[in-house]
Amino acid sequence: DRFCVIASGKRKERLEKEINRGKGILSNAGFLAKAPEAKVQAEKNKLADYEKQFEAVCARLNLLQNK
């Protein structure tokens, strides 16, 4: 269980970084103006996926820590 908590914690940190990176890219007016629509949509999709994974990891961590 301790290993799972540590691994999940590291995954949570990595996902937080990816979410912040994605939000930064999508809030950059220059990127939005110059990038092809397919690239913008791909970034939106990645962000949504990372957010979904983040929620799942947080739920798992909560379960593991409350055992």
Side-chain angles (χ1 to χ4, degrees):
D1 279 347
R2 180 164 165 70
F3 175 76
C4 289
V5 170
I6 292 169
S8 293
K10 289 183 180 185
R11 181 156 175 78
K12 179 183 172 189
E13 289 176 18
R14 187 180 64 79
L15 287 168
E16 284 176 322
K17 288 178 186 175
E18 290 297 332
I19 289 169
N20 289 334
R21 183 196 66 80
K23 286 181 178 179
I25 288 172
L26 293 172
S27 66
N28 181 330
F31 171 78
L32 296 175
K34 295 177 184 176
E37 181 57 35
K39 177 66 176 166
V40 173
Q41 189 59 49
E43 288 298 328
K44 288 179 181 179
N45 292 344
K46 282 198 294 188
L47 178 59
D49 185 51
Y50 288 140
E51 289 174 332
K52 184 187 283 186
Q53 289 179 47
F54 182 79
E55 289 176 19
V57 168
C58 287
R60 180 178 169 90
L61 266 173
N62 192 30
L63 285 173
L64 290 169
Q65 291 173 340
N66 290 325
K67 272 189 168 182

Coordinates of all heavy atoms in Angstrom, one line a residue:
D1 N 0.8 -1.2 0.0 CA 0.0 0.0 0.0 C 0.9 1.3 0.0 O 0.5 2.2 -0.7 CB -0.9 0.0 1.2 CG -2.2 -0.8 1.0 OD1 -2.4 -1.2 -0.2 OD2 -2.9 -1.1 2.0
R2 N 1.9 1.2 0.8 CA 2.8 2.4 0.8 C 3.4 2.7 -0.5 O 3.4 3.9 -1.0 CB 3.9 2.2 1.9 CG 4.9 3.4 2.0 CD 5.7 3.3 3.3 NE 6.8 4.1 3.3 CZ 6.8 5.4 3.4 NH1 5.6 6.0 3.4 NH2 7.9 6.2 3.4
F3 N 3.8 1.7 -1.3 CA 4.3 1.9 -2.6 C 3.3 2.5 -3.5 O 3.6 3.4 -4.3 CB 4.8 0.5 -3.2 CG 5.3 0.6 -4.6 CD1 6.5 1.2 -4.9 CD2 4.5 0.2 -5.6 CE1 6.9 1.4 -6.3 CE2 4.9 0.3 -7.0 CZ 6.1 0.9 -7.3
C4 N 2.0 2.0 -3.4 CA 0.9 2.6 -4.2 C 0.7 4.0 -3.9 O 0.5 4.8 -4.8 CB -0.3 1.8 -4.0 SG -0.3 0.1 -4.7
V5 N 0.8 4.4 -2.7 CA 0.6 5.8 -2.3 C 1.7 6.7 -2.9 O 1.5 7.7 -3.4 CB 0.5 6.0 -0.7 CG1 0.6 7.4 -0.3 CG2 -0.7 5.3 -0.2
I6 N 3.0 6.2 -2.8 CA 4.1 6.9 -3.3 C 4.0 7.1 -4.8 O 4.1 8.1 -5.4 CB 5.4 6.3 -2.9 CG1 5.6 6.4 -1.4 CG2 6.6 6.9 -3.7 CD1 6.8 5.6 -0.8
A7 N 3.7 6.0 -5.5 CA 3.6 6.0 -7.0 C 2.4 6.9 -7.4 O 2.6 7.6 -8.4 CB 3.4 4.6 -7.5
S8 N 1.3 6.8 -6.7 CA 0.2 7.6 -7.1 C 0.5 9.1 -6.8 O 0.0 10.0 -7.6 CB -1.1 7.2 -6.3 OG -1.5 5.9 -6.7
G9 N 1.2 9.4 -5.7 CA 1.6 10.8 -5.4 C 2.5 11.3 -6.5 O 2.3 12.5 -6.9
K10 N 3.4 10.5 -7.0 CA 4.3 11.0 -8.1 C 3.5 11.2 -9.4 O 3.7 12.2 -10.1 CB 5.4 10.0 -8.3 CG 6.4 10.0 -7.2 CD 7.6 9.1 -7.4 CE 8.5 9.1 -6.3 NZ 9.7 8.3 -6.5
R11 N 2.6 10.3 -9.6 CA 1.7 10.5 -10.8 C 0.9 11.7 -10.7 O 0.7 12.5 -11.7 CB 0.9 9.2 -11.0 CG 0.0 9.3 -12.2 CD -0.4 7.9 -12.7 NE -1.3 7.9 -13.8 CZ -1.0 8.1 -15.0 NH1 0.2 8.4 -15.4 NH2 -1.9 8.1 -16.0
K12 N 0.4 12.0 -9.5 CA -0.4 13.2 -9.3 C 0.4 14.4 -9.6 O -0.1 15.4 -10.3 CB -0.9 13.2 -7.9 CG -1.8 14.4 -7.6 CD -2.2 14.4 -6.1 CE -2.8 15.8 -5.8 NZ -3.1 15.9 -4.3
E13 N 1.6 14.5 -9.1 CA 2.5 15.6 -9.4 C 2.8 15.8 -10.9 O 2.8 16.9 -11.4 CB 3.9 15.4 -8.7 CG 3.8 15.6 -7.2 CD 5.1 15.3 -6.5 OE1 6.2 15.3 -7.1 OE2 5.1 15.0 -5.3
R14 N 3.0 14.7 -11.6 CA 3.3 14.8 -13.0 C 2.1 15.3 -13.8 O 2.2 16.1 -14.7 CB 3.7 13.4 -13.6 CG 4.2 13.4 -15.0 CD 4.6 12.1 -15.6 NE 3.5 11.1 -15.6 CZ 2.6 11.1 -16.5 NH1 2.6 12.0 -17.5 NH2 1.6 10.2 -16.5
L15 N 0.9 14.8 -13.4 CA -0.3 15.2 -14.0 C -0.6 16.7 -13.7 O -1.0 17.4 -14.6 CB -1.5 14.4 -13.6 CG -1.5 13.0 -14.1 CD1 -2.5 12.1 -13.4 CD2 -1.8 13.0 -15.6
E16 N -0.3 17.2 -12.5 CA -0.5 18.6 -12.2 C 0.4 19.5 -13.1 O 0.0 20.5 -13.6 CB -0.1 18.9 -10.8 CG -1.1 18.4 -9.8 CD -0.7 18.6 -8.3 OE1 0.5 18.4 -8.0 OE2 -1.5 19.0 -7.5
K17 N 1.6 19.0 -13.4 CA 2.5 19.8 -14.3 C 2.0 19.8 -15.7 O 2.0 20.8 -16.3 CB 3.9 19.1 -14.2 CG 4.7 19.4 -13.0 CD 6.0 18.7 -13.0 CE 6.7 18.8 -11.6 NZ 8.0 18.1 -11.6
E18 N 1.5 18.7 -16.2 CA 0.9 18.6 -17.5 C -0.3 19.5 -17.6 O -0.5 20.1 -18.7 CB 0.6 17.1 -17.9 CG 1.9 16.3 -18.1 CD 2.7 16.8 -19.3 OE1 2.2 17.4 -20.2 OE2 3.9 16.5 -19.2
I19 N -1.1 19.5 -16.6 CA -2.4 20.3 -16.6 C -2.0 21.8 -16.7 O -2.5 22.5 -17.5 CB -3.3 20.0 -15.4 CG1 -3.9 18.6 -15.6 CG2 -4.3 21.0 -15.2 CD1 -4.6 18.0 -14.4
N20 N -1.0 22.2 -15.8 CA -0.6 23.6 -15.9 C 0.0 23.9 -17.2 O -0.2 25.0 -17.7 CB 0.4 23.8 -14.7 CG -0.3 23.8 -13.4 OD1 -1.5 24.1 -13.2 ND2 0.5 23.4 -12.3
R21 N 0.8 23.0 -17.8 CA 1.4 23.3 -19.1 C 0.3 23.5 -20.1 O 0.3 24.4 -20.9 CB 2.3 22.1 -19.5 CG 3.0 22.3 -20.8 CD 3.6 21.0 -21.4 NE 2.6 20.1 -21.8 CZ 1.9 20.2 -22.9 NH1 2.1 21.1 -23.8 NH2 0.9 19.3 -23.2
G22 N -0.7 22.6 -20.1 CA -1.8 22.7 -21.1 C -2.6 23.9 -21.0 O -2.9 24.6 -21.9
K23 N -2.9 24.3 -19.7 CA -3.6 25.5 -19.5 C -2.8 26.7 -19.9 O -3.4 27.7 -20.5 CB -4.0 25.7 -18.0 CG -5.1 24.7 -17.6 CD -5.4 24.9 -16.1 CE -6.6 24.0 -15.7 NZ -6.9 24.1 -14.3
G24 N -1.5 26.7 -19.7 CA -0.6 27.8 -20.2 C -0.7 27.9 -21.7 O -0.8 29.0 -22.2
I25 N -0.6 26.8 -22.4 CA -0.6 26.8 -23.9 C -1.9 27.4 -24.4 O -2.0 28.2 -25.2 CB -0.3 25.4 -24.4 CG1 1.1 25.0 -24.2 CG2 -0.7 25.3 -25.9 CD1 1.4 23.6 -24.6
L26 N -3.0 26.9 -23.8 CA -4.3 27.3 -24.3 C -4.7 28.7 -23.8 O -5.7 29.2 -24.4 CB -5.4 26.2 -23.8 CG -5.2 24.9 -24.4 CD1 -6.2 23.8 -23.8 CD2 -5.5 24.9 -25.9
S27 N -4.0 29.3 -22.9 CA -4.3 30.7 -22.6 C -3.4 31.6 -23.3 O -3.4 32.8 -23.1 CB -4.2 30.9 -21.0 OG -2.8 30.7 -20.6
N28 N -2.5 31.1 -24.1 CA -1.5 31.9 -24.9 C -2.2 32.4 -26.2 O -2.4 31.6 -27.1 CB -0.3 31.1 -25.2 CG 0.8 31.8 -25.9 OD1 0.5 32.7 -26.7 ND2 2.0 31.4 -25.7
A29 N -2.5 33.6 -26.2 CA -3.2 34.2 -27.4 C -2.4 34.0 -28.7 O -3.0 33.7 -29.7 CB -3.5 35.7 -27.2
G30 N -1.1 34.1 -28.6 CA -0.3 33.9 -29.8 C -0.4 32.5 -30.3 O -0.4 32.3 -31.5
F31 N -0.4 31.5 -29.4 CA -0.5 30.1 -29.9 C -1.9 29.9 -30.5 O -2.0 29.3 -31.6 CB -0.4 29.2 -28.7 CG -0.7 27.7 -29.0 CD1 0.2 26.9 -29.7 CD2 -1.9 27.2 -28.6 CE1 -0.1 25.6 -30.0 CE2 -2.3 25.9 -28.9 CZ -1.4 25.1 -29.6
L32 N -2.9 30.4 -29.9 CA -4.3 30.2 -30.4 C -4.4 30.9 -31.8 O -5.1 30.4 -32.6 CB -5.3 30.8 -29.4 CG -5.4 30.0 -28.1 CD1 -6.3 30.7 -27.1 CD2 -5.7 28.6 -28.3
A33 N -3.8 32.0 -32.0 CA -3.9 32.7 -33.2 C -3.1 32.1 -34.4 O -3.6 32.1 -35.5 CB -3.4 34.2 -33.1
K34 N -2.0 31.4 -34.0 CA -1.1 30.9 -35.1 C -1.2 29.4 -35.3 O -0.9 28.9 -36.4 CB 0.4 31.2 -34.7 CG 0.7 32.7 -34.7 CD 2.1 33.0 -34.3 CE 2.4 34.5 -34.2 NZ 3.7 34.8 -33.8
A35 N -1.6 28.7 -34.3 CA -1.6 27.2 -34.4 C -2.8 26.7 -35.3 O -3.9 27.3 -35.3 CB -1.7 26.6 -33.1
P36 N -2.6 25.7 -36.0 CA -3.7 25.1 -36.8 C -4.8 24.6 -35.8 O -4.5 24.2 -34.7 CB -3.1 23.9 -37.5 CG -1.6 24.1 -37.4 CD -1.3 25.0 -36.2
E37 N -6.0 24.7 -36.2 CA -7.1 24.3 -35.4 C -7.0 22.8 -34.8 O -7.3 22.5 -33.7 CB -8.5 24.4 -36.1 CG -9.7 24.0 -35.3 CD -9.8 24.8 -34.0 OE1 -9.5 26.0 -34.0 OE2 -10.3 24.2 -33.0
A38 N -6.4 22.0 -35.7 CA -6.2 20.6 -35.2 C -5.2 20.5 -34.0 O -5.4 19.7 -33.1 CB -5.7 19.7 -36.4
K39 N -4.2 21.3 -34.1 CA -3.2 21.4 -32.9 C -3.9 21.9 -31.7 O -3.7 21.4 -30.6 CB -2.0 22.2 -33.3 CG -1.0 22.4 -32.2 CD -0.3 21.0 -31.9 CE 0.8 21.3 -30.9 NZ 1.2 20.0 -30.3
V40 N -4.7 22.9 -31.8 CA -5.4 23.5 -30.7 C -6.3 22.5 -30.1 O -6.4 22.3 -28.9 CB -6.2 24.8 -31.1 CG1 -7.0 25.3 -29.9 CG2 -5.2 25.9 -31.5
Q41 N -7.1 21.8 -31.0 CA -8.0 20.7 -30.5 C -7.3 19.6 -29.8 O -7.7 19.1 -28.8 CB -8.9 20.2 -31.6 CG -10.0 19.3 -31.2 CD -10.9 20.0 -30.2 OE1 -11.4 21.1 -30.5 NE2 -11.2 19.4 -29.1
A42 N -6.1 19.2 -30.3 CA -5.3 18.2 -29.7 C -4.9 18.6 -28.3 O -4.9 17.7 -27.4 CB -4.1 17.9 -30.6
E43 N -4.5 19.8 -28.1 CA -4.1 20.3 -26.8 C -5.3 20.3 -25.9 O -5.2 19.9 -24.7 CB -3.5 21.7 -26.9 CG -2.1 21.7 -27.5 CD -1.1 21.0 -26.7 OE1 -1.1 20.9 -25.5 OE2 -0.1 20.4 -27.3
K44 N -6.5 20.7 -26.4 CA -7.7 20.7 -25.5 C -8.0 19.2 -25.1 O -8.4 19.0 -24.0 CB -8.8 21.3 -26.3 CG -8.8 22.8 -26.4 CD -10.0 23.3 -27.2 CE -9.9 24.8 -27.4 NZ -11.0 25.3 -28.2
N45 N -7.9 18.3 -26.0 CA -8.1 16.9 -25.8 C -7.1 16.3 -24.7 O -7.5 15.6 -23.8 CB -8.1 16.0 -27.0 CG -9.2 16.4 -28.0 OD1 -10.2 17.0 -27.6 ND2 -9.1 16.0 -29.2
K46 N -5.9 16.7 -24.9 CA -4.8 16.2 -23.9 C -5.1 16.8 -22.5 O -5.1 16.1 -21.5 CB -3.4 16.7 -24.4 CG -2.8 15.8 -25.4 CD -1.3 16.0 -25.5 CE -0.9 17.3 -26.0 NZ 0.5 17.4 -26.3
L47 N -5.5 18.1 -22.5 CA -5.8 18.7 -21.2 C -7.0 18.0 -20.5 O -7.0 17.6 -19.3 CB -6.1 20.2 -21.4 CG -6.5 20.9 -20.1 CD1 -5.4 20.8 -19.0 CD2 -6.8 22.4 -20.4
A48 N -8.1 17.7 -21.3 CA -9.2 17.0 -20.7 C -8.9 15.6 -20.2 O -9.3 15.2 -19.2 CB -10.3 16.9 -21.8
D49 N -8.0 14.9 -21.0 CA -7.6 13.6 -20.6 C -6.7 13.7 -19.3 O -6.9 12.9 -18.4 CB -6.8 12.9 -21.7 CG -6.4 11.5 -21.4 OD1 -7.3 10.7 -21.0 OD2 -5.2 11.2 -21.5
Y50 N -5.8 14.6 -19.2 CA -5.0 14.8 -18.0 C -5.9 15.1 -16.8 O -5.6 14.6 -15.7 CB -3.9 15.8 -18.2 CG -2.8 15.4 -19.1 CD1 -2.3 16.4 -20.0 CD2 -2.3 14.2 -19.1 CE1 -1.2 16.0 -20.9 CE2 -1.2 13.8 -20.0 CZ -0.7 14.7 -20.8 OH 0.3 14.4 -21.7
E51 N -6.9 15.9 -17.0 CA -7.7 16.3 -15.9 C -8.5 15.1 -15.4 O -8.7 14.9 -14.2 CB -8.7 17.5 -16.3 CG -7.9 18.8 -16.4 CD -8.8 19.9 -16.9 OE1 -9.7 19.7 -17.7 OE2 -8.4 21.1 -16.6
K52 N -9.0 14.3 -16.3 CA -9.7 13.0 -16.0 C -8.8 12.1 -15.2 O -9.2 11.5 -14.2 CB -10.3 12.4 -17.2 CG -11.1 11.1 -16.9 CD -11.5 10.4 -18.2 CE -12.6 11.1 -18.9 NZ -13.1 10.3 -20.1
Q53 N -7.6 11.9 -15.7 CA -6.6 11.1 -15.0 C -6.3 11.6 -13.6 O -6.2 10.8 -12.6 CB -5.3 11.0 -15.8 CG -5.4 10.2 -17.1 CD -4.1 10.1 -17.8 OE1 -3.0 9.9 -17.2 NE2 -4.1 10.4 -19.1
F54 N -6.2 12.9 -13.5 CA -5.9 13.6 -12.2 C -7.0 13.3 -11.2 O -6.7 12.9 -10.0 CB -5.7 15.1 -12.4 CG -5.3 15.8 -11.2 CD1 -4.0 15.8 -10.7 CD2 -6.3 16.5 -10.5 CE1 -3.7 16.5 -9.5 CE2 -6.0 17.2 -9.3 CZ -4.7 17.2 -8.9
E55 N -8.2 13.4 -11.6 CA -9.3 13.1 -10.7 C -9.3 11.7 -10.3 O -9.5 11.4 -9.1 CB -10.7 13.4 -11.4 CG -11.0 14.9 -11.6 CD -12.2 15.1 -12.4 OE1 -13.1 14.2 -12.5 OE2 -12.4 16.2 -12.9
A56 N -9.0 10.7 -11.2 CA -8.9 9.3 -10.8 C -7.8 9.1 -9.8 O -8.0 8.3 -8.9 CB -8.8 8.5 -12.1
V57 N -6.6 9.7 -10.1 CA -5.5 9.5 -9.2 C -5.8 10.1 -7.8 O -5.5 9.4 -6.8 CB -4.2 10.1 -9.7 CG1 -3.1 10.2 -8.7 CG2 -3.7 9.3 -10.9
C58 N -6.4 11.2 -7.7 CA -6.8 11.8 -6.4 C -7.8 10.9 -5.7 O -7.6 10.7 -4.5 CB -7.4 13.2 -6.7 SG -6.2 14.4 -7.1
A59 N -8.7 10.4 -6.4 CA -9.7 9.5 -5.7 C -9.0 8.2 -5.2 O -9.3 7.8 -4.1 CB -10.8 9.1 -6.7
R60 N -8.1 7.7 -6.0 CA -7.3 6.5 -5.6 C -6.5 6.8 -4.3 O -6.4 6.0 -3.4 CB -6.4 6.0 -6.7 CG -5.6 4.8 -6.3 CD -4.8 4.3 -7.5 NE -3.8 3.3 -7.1 CZ -4.0 2.0 -7.1 NH1 -5.2 1.5 -7.4 NH2 -3.1 1.2 -6.7
L61 N -5.8 8.0 -4.4 CA -5.0 8.4 -3.2 C -5.8 8.5 -2.0 O -5.4 8.1 -0.9 CB -4.3 9.7 -3.5 CG -2.9 9.6 -4.1 CD1 -2.4 11.0 -4.5 CD2 -1.9 9.0 -3.1
N62 N -7.0 9.1 -2.1 CA -7.9 9.3 -1.0 C -8.3 8.0 -0.4 O -8.3 7.8 0.8 CB -9.1 10.1 -1.4 CG -9.9 10.6 -0.3 OD1 -9.4 10.8 0.8 ND2 -11.2 10.7 -0.5
L63 N -8.6 7.0 -1.3 CA -8.9 5.6 -0.8 C -7.8 5.0 -0.1 O -7.9 4.4 1.0 CB -9.4 4.8 -1.9 CG -10.8 5.0 -2.5 CD1 -11.0 4.2 -3.7 CD2 -11.8 4.7 -1.5
L64 N -6.6 5.1 -0.7 CA -5.4 4.4 -0.1 C -5.0 5.1 1.3 O -4.6 4.4 2.2 CB -4.2 4.5 -1.0 CG -4.3 3.7 -2.3 CD1 -3.2 4.1 -3.3 CD2 -4.2 2.2 -1.9
Q65 N -5.2 6.4 1.4 CA -4.8 7.0 2.6 C -5.8 6.9 3.7 O -5.5 7.0 4.9 CB -4.5 8.5 2.3 CG -3.3 8.7 1.5 CD -3.1 10.2 1.0 OE1 -4.0 11.0 1.0 NE2 -1.9 10.5 0.6
N66 N -7.0 6.6 3.4 CA -8.1 6.4 4.4 C -8.3 4.9 4.7 O -9.3 4.6 5.4 CB -9.4 7.1 3.9 CG -9.2 8.6 3.9 OD1 -8.6 9.2 4.7 ND2 -9.8 9.2 2.9
K67 N -7.4 4.0 4.3 CA -7.6 2.6 4.6 C -7.3 2.4 6.1 O -6.5 2.9 6.7 CB -6.7 1.8 3.8 CG -7.3 1.4 2.5 CD -6.4 0.3 1.8 CE -7.1 -0.3 0.7 NZ -6.4 -1.3 0.0

